[in-house]
């Protein structure tokens, strides 16, 4: 129930949150007559004053036939008895049930409020953590700078190595070329000398050399025979 | 406070005449008075955390009395007819 009849924002300082409902309502005696009436008559007539007033009024109404007793009176009496009995018997149960409903509503609303507060708290902490993290971005940039410097260095050294290898290959080629050339010249010269020597050995010189070798061998064999 | 702003319950019997003269009997004034009376009754007996049967029972009793008052002619006629015959 939206309490539209309660005055809100009547003072300069608006009451927020809305003040809670009063615990108990105005006191009512016998379910019909407010307590203020009894208090109003107490100074003049004491405790029994209102009851005497009520009895006198009732008798006056009945006797003067201002209140007519007819079939509806009996019906009203029966209905009233039933209602009073029902209220006396089931009143507390219904009250407890309603209180329980109210409690559940309050608990759920409170839980929602607490949850929201909790989420906001965690959000605040997360935010603080993010701020702390953001302070470290200088370190991040230093690390990145170091990475890039290392990459550049590595690349430079790679290229240095390539240059070295290429130069070495070319120099090796030149050295190998020279060696090959010398080798070929040497071989060719040897071959040429051998060929000429072989050519210069005429058949007659060959026979003379062979005879000489045979004579030498014989002399040697003789000296060997003599030695043995 | 001043006489014209006091609610009815706080006006003494002697000042009732002057108080009646100060309150406005226009449609708006009457409507405002009815609205205020109803809202004060609700705030006192209905919009509470632990209300009892008092809030509605007083309204029902008032309704009973009013309806008896409106139909008094009918009741008196019926009773006179029954009593005489």
């Amino acid at each position: 129930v939206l309490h539209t009849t309660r005055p809100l924002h009547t003072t300069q300082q608006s009451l927020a949150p809305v003040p809670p409902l009063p615990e108990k309502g105005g006191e009512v005696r016998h379910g019909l007559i407010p307590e203020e009436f009894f208090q109003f008559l107490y100074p003049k007539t004491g405790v029994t004053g209102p009851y005497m007033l009520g009895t006198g009024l009732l008798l006056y109404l009945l006797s003067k036939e201002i209140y007519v007793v007819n079939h509806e009176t009996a019906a009203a009496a029966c209905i009233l008895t039933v209602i009073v009995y029902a209220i006396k018997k089931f009143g507390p149960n219904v009250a407890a049930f309603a209180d329980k409903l109210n409690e559940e509503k309050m608990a759920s609303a409170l839980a929602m409020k607490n949850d929201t507060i909790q989420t906001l708290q965690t959000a605040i902490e997360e935010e603080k953590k993010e701020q702390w993290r953001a302070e470290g971005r200088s370190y991040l940039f230093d690390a990145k700078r170091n990475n890039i410097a290392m990459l550049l260095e590595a690349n430079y050294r790679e290229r240095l190595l390539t240059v070295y290898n290429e130069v070495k290959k070319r120099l090796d080629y030149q050295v190998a070329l020279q060696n090959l050339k010398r080798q070929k010249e040497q071989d060719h010269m040897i071959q040429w000398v051998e060929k000429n020597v072989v050519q210069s050995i005429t058949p007659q010189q060959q026979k003379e050399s062979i005879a000489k070798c045979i004579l030498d061998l014989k002399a040697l064999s003789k000296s060997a025979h003599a030695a043995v | 406070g001043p006489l014209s702003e006091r609610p009815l319950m706080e006006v003494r019997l002697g000042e009732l005449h002057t108080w009646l003269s100060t309150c406005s009997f226009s449609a708006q004034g009457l409507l405002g008075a009815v609205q205020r009376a109803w809202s004060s009754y609700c705030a006192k007996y209905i919009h509470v955390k632990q209300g009892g049967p008092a809030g509605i029972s007083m309204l029902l009793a008032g309704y009973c009395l009013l309806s008896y008052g409106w139909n008094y002619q009918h009741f008196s006629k019926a009773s006179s007819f029954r009593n005489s015959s």
Side-chain angles (χ1 to χ4, degrees):
Chain A
V1 176
L2 183 58
H3 307 295
T4 49
T5 51
R6 281 205 298 168
L8 299 172
H9 305 297
T10 44
T11 55
Q12 279 287 44
Q13 193 181 16
S14 69
L15 306 154
V18 172
L21 292 175
E23 276 291 331
K24 296 188 77 62
E27 276 287 320
V28 171
R29 240 197 251 200
H30 304 299
L32 279 181
I33 305 148
E35 193 67 29
E36 280 85 8
F37 186 64
F38 291 85
Q39 296 304 324
F40 175 66
L41 288 180
Y42 181 76
K44 287 291 188 326
T45 55
V47 176
T48 52
Y51 292 109
M52 298 316 297
L53 178 66
T55 320
L57 207 64
L58 199 60
L59 289 174
Y60 165 71
L61 290 176
L62 279 172
S63 68
K64 284 280 188 187
E65 287 267 312
I66 295 179
Y67 177 69
V68 179
V69 177
N70 48 8
H71 58 285
E72 285 181 12
T73 312
C78 298
I79 291 176
L80 271 177
T81 354
V82 168
I83 287 180
V84 166
Y85 173 73
I87 287 182
K88 282 277 189 299
K89 189 128 192 282
F90 301 117
N93 288 350
V94 171
F97 178 69
D99 280 343
K100 196 156 69 74
L101 286 179
N102 250 5
E103 277 297 319
E104 282 170 16
K105 275 192 225 167
M106 283 283 296
S108 72
L110 212 65
M112 245 182 9
K113 176 182 110 165
N114 283 347
D115 281 340
T116 328
I117 288 182
Q118 202 60 39
T119 39
L120 286 176
Q121 287 268 25
T122 45
I124 286 176
E125 275 154 32
E126 293 275 313
E127 190 59 38
K128 285 211 165 70
K129 199 140 194 251
E130 286 301 314
Q131 283 178 347
W132 169 79
R133 276 199 195 129
E135 285 171 15
R137 62 178 182 267
S138 64
Y139 297 125
L140 185 70
F141 293 150
D142 280 345
K144 281 192 191 252
R145 236 176 270 135
N146 278 355
N147 270 3
I148 291 177
M150 258 197 277
L151 273 177
L152 286 174
E153 185 78 20
N155 214 358
Y156 172 70
R157 289 197 190 175
E158 239 178 65
R159 290 198 200 150
L160 219 56
L161 188 68
T162 329
V163 162
Y164 165 78
N165 282 343
E166 289 293 309
V167 166
K168 187 155 178 304
K169 272 199 283 191
R170 277 157 180 66
L171 289 179
D172 283 346
Y173 171 71
Q174 293 296 329
V175 160
L177 200 66
Q178 281 181 1
N179 282 350
L180 184 71
K181 193 163 170 189
R182 190 171 306 145
Q183 188 88 7
K184 285 286 178 219
E185 284 176 355
Q186 219 170 355
D187 286 344
H188 185 254
M189 203 174 299
I190 290 175
Q191 255 186 340
W192 188 79
V193 163
E194 279 184 4
K195 198 171 74 176
N196 278 1
V197 163
V198 165
Q199 268 181 348
S200 73
I201 300 180
T202 59
Q204 198 208 345
Q205 260 183 320
Q206 202 169 358
K207 277 186 198 161
E208 279 181 15
S209 63
I210 286 178
K212 182 108 191 333
C213 287
I214 291 175
L215 281 174
D216 279 337
L217 274 173
K218 277 185 186 165
L220 272 171
S221 72
K222 272 185 197 162
S223 66
H225 271 292
V228 166
Chain B
L3 181 52
S4 59
E5 264 104 54
R6 264 187 274 168
L8 180 54
M9 283 295 141
E10 294 171 21
V11 171
R12 297 170 173 281
L13 268 176
E15 299 165 354
L16 194 58
H17 197 234
T18 36
W19 184 83
L20 270 179
S21 66
T22 56
C23 71
S24 64
F25 283 107
S26 62
Q28 205 176 19
L30 281 176
L31 218 60
V34 167
Q35 174 78 11
R36 261 177 289 130
W38 174 250
S39 73
S40 60
Y41 177 81
C42 276
K44 187 151 185 219
Y45 291 107
I46 301 186
H47 296 327
V48 290
K49 272 195 201 150
Q50 287 175 351
I56 327 166
S57 73
M58 280 200 282
L59 285 174
L60 284 177
Y63 168 69
C64 286
L65 285 176
L66 256 182
S67 65
Y68 186 83
W70 282 334
N71 295 340
Y72 181 66
Q73 292 275 349
H74 172 76
F75 286 134
S76 69
K77 225 177 357 163
S79 108
S80 75
F81 175 72
R82 197 168 52 96
N83 280 349
S84 65
S85 73

